[in-house]
């Protein structure tokens, strides 16, 4: 169901139903529909007031791009949802990105209007010669309030092929890449998630975290497209979320695995506040089995679905037990595993995962990357590696997550999963080796309060690590070297950067055990 069609429908039949709820306020469906009129009028006037407007990326078909770069999840959600019923392309830019990257993305994609409270960003854009407009959230709200509703037009259901959102890849292996989602692609994605992830009409979904995350942003769109209420939060505070779940009658949560772990810990302290929680949906990273077990222990009646998907492609499948690495593929999605030449591999062999899905974007935005997403045969890949066995897809990481050592393919995430339960964080890497091509090494970021697998000095015990690896892994998977780093490099979203970890080891900045 298109997002605007459902917003307008609920605004008529149940006008007081909550649409968006956050720390900054709340909006009913009626308020969202009515407020969108003056919101778009203010946006449209700001774009037209420019004497030398930035030229939007060709993938937008000439539609001006409005970006939101705010820490307020409520305000970001309000603007994205409000502009959905008009000729507008919206984008969310993470204000925690490096400043030069924010400037580069805005300049390269032709974003014309940025709603941001960051003075350094405004100054950097001006210094770069960008000709668009930066406006603070407060000033934008004042412009909305100054618009006479009589001079506005109502939101409408837009053409299916019209560009809708500009999104960005996660940036795990490189800087985020921009891509466009059309309205039909989002409708197709909602159809898949509605069939499997239960965003039913009227359900209250909590989606904590920055709306610049594709997982959170999609939860906002999905909830409104299905007539639900989306409850947003700038971050996850385990001390207040329990009371929100009870007070706001939240029964469904969409969040990354780290938040699911925090939910389990918070529920252990105050279980009564979480007993109304029916379903937790998680994605964005593999779900360690320990998190599933911890949640089941304290909230045995709460179901947990770990989905697999890519923002560029859409939902692909999900796992409902274990660590989320074995995926049941949705019946409307095509999946193949191919080698480097594009030939389909037999079951059981690791290769590149290719997807056929109606929700897939057409490609990346010109100028943001040279990578190709969708190929002439209609199939697409983001470089994920995996194998198919008995009709299930097992993920093995991205292309850089596979080590070739002595002729064996080794999944580095699989090595990492073997060390789940050890204190601290680990990152498995492939290091060059003259004899074997590469060798597997494990880089450890010790927990300051660690005990298991750590010596009396606070340094991990190599012998204990090696014994553990030999007991859990096939011989070719056992790390040949172990290193320690005070802090593993991460994206702004918290994902460990494997390539940068290799660079730190090779430059001698990691301590070898």
């Amino acid at each position: 169901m298109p997002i605007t069609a459902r917003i307008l429908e609920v605004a008529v039949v149940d006008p007081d139903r909550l649409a968006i709820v956050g720390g900054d306020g709340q909006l009913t469906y009626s308020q969202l529909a009515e407020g969108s009129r003056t919101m778009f009028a203010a946006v449209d006037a700001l774009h037209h007031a420019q004497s030398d407007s930035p030229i939007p990326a060709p993938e937008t078909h000439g539609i001006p791009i409005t970006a939101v770069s705010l820490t307020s999840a409520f305000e970001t959600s309000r603007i994205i949802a409000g502009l959905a019923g008009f000729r507008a392309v919206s984008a969310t830019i993470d204000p925690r990105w490096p400043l030069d990257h924010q400037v580069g993305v805005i300049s390269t994609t032709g974003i014309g209007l940025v709603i941001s409270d960051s003075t350094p960003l405004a100054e950097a854009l001006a210094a770069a010669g960008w000709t668009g407009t930066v406006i603070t959230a407060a000033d934008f709200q004042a412009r909305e309030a100054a618009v006479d509703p009589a001079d506005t037009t109502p939101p409408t259901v837009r053409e299916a092929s019209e560009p809708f959102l500009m999104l960005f890849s996660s940036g795990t292996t490189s800087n985020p890449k921009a891509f466009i989602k059309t309205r039909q692609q989002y409708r197709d994605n909602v159809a898949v998630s509605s069939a499997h992830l239960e965003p039913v009409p009227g359900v209250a979904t909590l989606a904590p975290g920055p709306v610049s995350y594709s997982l959170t942003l999609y939860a906002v769109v999905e909830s409104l497209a299905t007539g639900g209420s989306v409850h947003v939060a700038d971050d996850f505070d385990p001390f207040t979320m329990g009371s929100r779940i009870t007070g706001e009658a939240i029964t469904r949560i969409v969040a990354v695995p780290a938040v699911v772990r925090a939910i389990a810990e918070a529920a252990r302290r105050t279980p009564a506040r979480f007993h109304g929680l029916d379903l937790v949906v998680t994605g964005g990273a593999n779900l360690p089995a320990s998190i599933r077990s911890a949640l089941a222990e304290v909230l045995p009646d709460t179901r947990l679905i770990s989905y697999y998907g890519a923002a560029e492609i859409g939902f692909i499948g999900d796992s409902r037990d274990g660590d989320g690495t074995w995926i049941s593929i949705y019946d409307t999605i095509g999946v193949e595993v191919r080698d480097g030449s594009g030939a389909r591999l037999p079951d059981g062999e690791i290769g590149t995962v290719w997807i056929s899905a109606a929700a897939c974007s057409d490609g990346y935005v010109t100028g943001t990357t040279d990578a190709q997403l969708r190929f002439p045969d209609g199939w697409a890949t983001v470089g994920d590696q995996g194998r198919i066995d008995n009709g299930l897809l097992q993920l093995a990481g991205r292309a850089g997550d596979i080590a070739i050592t002595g002729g064996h393919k080794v999944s580095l995430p699989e090595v990492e999963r073997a060390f789940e339960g050890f204190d601290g964080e680990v990152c498995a890497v492939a290091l060059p080796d003259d004899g074997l091509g590469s060798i597997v090494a494990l880089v450890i970021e010790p927990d300051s309060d660690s005990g298991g697998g750590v010596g009396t000095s606070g340094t991990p015990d190599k012998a204990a690590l090696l014994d553990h690896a030999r007991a859990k892994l096939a011989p070719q998977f056992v790390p040949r070297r172990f290193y320690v780093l005070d802090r593993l490099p991460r994206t702004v979203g918290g994902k460990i950067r494997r390539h940068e970890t290799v660079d730190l080891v090779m430059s001698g900045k990691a301590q070898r055990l």
Side-chain angles (χ1 to χ4, degrees), residues 96-372:
R96 299 175 303 164
W97 282 353
L99 186 59
D100 60 347
H101 183 62
Q102 295 182 56
V103 172
V105 163
I106 292 168
S107 301
T108 302
T109 60
I111 290 170
L113 173 63
V114 179
I115 302 171
S116 170
D117 292 330
S118 171
T119 300
L121 176 59
E123 292 173 346
L125 285 168
W130 179 70
T131 58
T133 302
V134 178
I135 187 170
T136 67
D139 287 345
F140 179 68
Q141 292 166 8
R143 283 180 172 268
E144 290 178 272
V147 174
D148 185 347
D151 296 332
T152 64
T153 57
T156 59
V157 178
R158 311 296 301 176
E159 289 294 325
S161 61
E162 189 176 88
F164 173 35
L165 291 176
M166 177 183 287
L167 304 175
F168 302 92
S169 64
S170 66
T172 304
T173 57
S174 63
N175 284 331
K177 302 180 284 286
F179 55 95
I180 293 290
K181 285 289 186 185
T182 67
R183 295 173 185 277
Q184 185 59 51
Q185 287 163 354
Y186 244 107
R187 293 167 190 171
D188 290 331
N189 214 21
V190 169
V192 175
S193 67
S194 296
H196 300 281
L197 303 179
E198 304 179 30
V200 297
V203 71
T205 295
L206 173 64
V211 183
S212 53
Y213 289 5
S214 59
L215 176 144
T216 311
L217 175 59
Y218 183 75
V220 171
V221 174
E222 172 192 63
S223 294
L224 297 176
T226 53
S229 302
V230 61
H231 298 243
V232 296
D234 302 338
D235 52 29
F236 182 81
D237 179 1
F239 299 104
T240 60
M241 286 302 157
S243 58
R244 281 196 70 180
I245 289 169
T246 301
E248 298 171 21
I250 291 166
T251 60
R252 180 175 179 265
I253 290 180
V254 178
V256 297
V259 168
V260 181
R261 184 191 300 276
I263 291 170
E265 293 172 352
R268 192 177 303 279
R269 292 192 296 269
T270 56
R273 292 183 174 180
F274 293 83
H275 281 168
L277 192 57
D278 174 57
L279 177 64
V280 175
V281 177
T282 186
N286 283 340
L287 177 76
S290 61
I291 295 181
R292 184 182 293 277
S293 298
L295 188 70
E297 181 182 346
V298 295
L299 297 173
D301 296 326
T302 301
R303 296 171 296 131
L304 177 59
I305 300 175
S306 173
Y307 74 78
Y308 166 55
E312 298 96 317
I313 295 174
F315 294 103
I316 297 167
D318 68 47
S319 174
R320 306 194 179 207
D321 55 29
D323 63 5
T325 56
W326 285 102
I327 304 297
S328 296
I329 303 164
Y330 296 144
D331 54 8
T332 56
I333 306 299
V335 177
E336 292 183 357
V337 175
R338 303 178 183 177
D339 64 16
S341 67
R344 188 169 181 173
L345 289 170
D347 282 7
E349 290 194 23
I350 292 179
T352 301
V353 179
W354 288 78
I355 309 296
S356 175
C360 184
S361 295
D362 295 327
Y364 293 110
V365 170
T366 303
T368 64
T369 181
D370 294 329
Q372 188 171 357

Side-chain angles (χ1 to χ4, degrees), residues 338-513:
R338 303 178 183 177
D339 64 16
S341 67
R344 188 169 181 173
L345 289 170
D347 282 7
E349 290 194 23
I350 292 179
T352 301
V353 179
W354 288 78
I355 309 296
S356 175
C360 184
S361 295
D362 295 327
Y364 293 110
V365 170
T366 303
T368 64
T369 181
D370 294 329
Q372 188 171 357
L373 171 64
R374 199 167 189 167
F375 285 67
D377 62 0
W379 289 69
T381 184
V382 292
D384 284 347
Q385 303 292 292
R387 60 167 70 90
I388 293 177
D389 199 359
N390 294 322
L392 298 176
L393 172 66
Q394 185 186 41
L395 299 175
R398 289 287 175 98
D401 296 336
I402 303 297
I404 308 297
T405 177
H408 298 285
K409 285 185 178 180
V410 174
S411 165
L412 298 175
E414 190 170 336
V415 175
E416 293 163 354
R417 287 193 294 273
F419 287 87
E420 185 182 328
F422 268 64
D423 294 306
E425 298 280 349
V426 300
C427 177
V429 298
L431 303 179
D433 181 80
D434 292 338
L436 298 174
S438 68
I439 59 171
V440 177
L442 191 74
V443 187
I444 304 157
E445 177 190 303
D447 189 325
S448 58
D449 299 322
S450 60
V454 176
T456 56
S457 66
T459 301
D461 185 328
K462 180 180 178 181
L465 293 167
L466 193 55
D467 287 345
H468 181 85
R470 287 171 175 164
K472 295 281 188 179
L473 295 166
Q476 66 270 25
F477 281 64
V478 174
R480 290 173 175 260
R481 296 180 191 170
F482 295 88
Y483 295 86
V484 173
L485 275 173
D486 290 337
R487 176 73 176 168
L488 288 164
R490 289 172 168 81
T491 67
V492 294
K495 294 182 180 180
I496 294 172
R497 287 187 179 270
R498 199 180 307 279
H499 291 298
E500 290 185 15
T501 302
V502 172
D503 292 341
L504 291 173
V505 171
M506 297 301 292
S507 64
K509 295 179 180 178
Q511 174 192 349
R512 183 174 176 179
L513 299 181

